[in-house]
Amino acid sequence: MVNRTRDRHRHAKGDITGDGKADLISRDSAVWRNNGDGKGSFGTRTKIASGWQGYKGLF
């Protein structure tokens, strides 16, 4: 799932880490991951890429 806002920030959700819990990926000038806790909340964000140039989209 990808959500788009007016300011062009985007986010997607899914199990990115393979732990069976939904994680959140977002981007501004960098790409970030928030690990899901399995209870409906997300932890602090972790920078996983410093730029957006190498990516075409979040899926």
Side-chain angles (χ1 to χ4, degrees):
M1 176 179 162
V2 175
N3 291 315
R4 297 178 182 148
T5 61
R6 284 187 299 144
D7 59 6
R8 298 178 42 93
H9 292 205
R10 298 173 186 209
H11 63 276
K13 63 181 175 151
D15 182 14
I16 307 301
T17 59
D19 62 2
K21 301 171 187 170
D23 304 310
L24 180 68
I25 301 296
S26 60
R27 70 121 177 147
D28 48 24
S29 59
V31 182
W32 305 90
R33 182 189 73 236
N34 295 71
N35 294 341
D37 68 2
K39 300 175 187 174
S41 294
F42 298 94
T44 58
R45 68 184 190 168
T46 302
K47 189 180 207 179
I48 59 173
S50 59
W52 184 246
Q53 299 84 346
Y55 300 91
K56 293 183 180 183
L58 296 172
F59 302 95

